[in-house]
Amino acid sequence: MGGGSHSTRFKKKYRVWFGDRSSPKNSALTEFPHSTSNRTDMTLNTKTEQYQLDEQWMAQAIQLASRAETEGEVPIGAVAVYEGEVVGRGWNRSISTHDPAAHAEIMALREAGQTIKNYRLCDVTLYVTLEPCAMCAGAMLHARIARLVVGASDPKTGAAGSVLNVLEGKHTFHQVVVEKGLLAKACSAQLRQFFRDRRAASKSKLK
């Protein structure tokens, strides 16, 4: 696990595109360190491969969100990946554990720290089905994660650009690469259905 230069190394190695991740066609290519003759093809190949990996990890986060729902929690899941391996998994557990801080992201970061044996999670990518709140975004800064991939945006409490921009602020001590919109429709649908079912259950109790 490196020190302060990890973010630069990470960007050179992995930061291929930004913006709306609902589809790779909506992404803008950035400079990639290859020879000029093969740079375009290799960048496109790397972009496709990284997108496929990102979808794979986000799909796991969605499964963890489903686990949260079965436990009576808001369905949000998170997966921490380091060097191509899952090092942390989390799902909302605030209600079941009586812990206001037991959000999916926090649980994944805690497990990642135990797996890596370091409270600094340099070069870790965190995948989460819903844009993190300010608490979780702050924990990501302190953990020094390199990259955050978000499914659905949160227009009410999102701290990765929707309401606050905790992770990419000019005055923060660390900046995280943030990419939003990966499998956004699936993540949003999961949350909408959960709250729709909960409202219906509440109405039925009043009858």
Side-chain angles (χ1 to χ4, degrees), residues 12-13 16 47 54 68 78 82 85 109 153 157 159 175 177:
K12 289 182 178 179
K13 188 175 182 181
V16 185
K47 171 186 173 182
D54 287 345
Y82 173 65
E85 300 289 339
L109 292 173
S153 295
T157 62
Q175 290 193 341
V177 175

Side-chain angles (χ1 to χ4, degrees), residues 107-194:
M107 305 306 288
L109 292 173
R110 286 173 177 169
E111 185 174 288
Q114 294 299 312
T115 301
I116 297 175
K117 304 300 181 186
N118 199 323
Y119 76 111
R120 298 296 195 207
L121 304 180
C122 304
D123 292 336
V124 164
T125 295
L126 186 67
Y127 299 83
V128 61
T129 57
L130 181 68
E131 183 178 356
C133 66
M135 175 186 71
C136 294
M140 294 174 202
L141 286 180
H142 285 287
R144 305 295 200 274
I145 70 167
R147 180 173 172 245
L148 171 68
V149 181
V150 175
S153 295
D154 185 350
K156 293 184 178 180
T157 62
S162 292
V163 178
L164 301 173
N165 194 356
V166 174
L167 300 170
E168 296 179 303
K170 294 180 180 180
H171 303 294
T172 59
F173 53 85
H174 172 72
Q175 290 193 341
V176 177
V177 175
V178 177
E179 300 177 26
K180 299 169 69 176
L182 181 64
L183 301 184
K185 291 183 178 179
C187 295
S188 296
Q190 187 177 42
L191 286 161
R192 282 198 303 270
Q193 188 61 50
F194 170 79

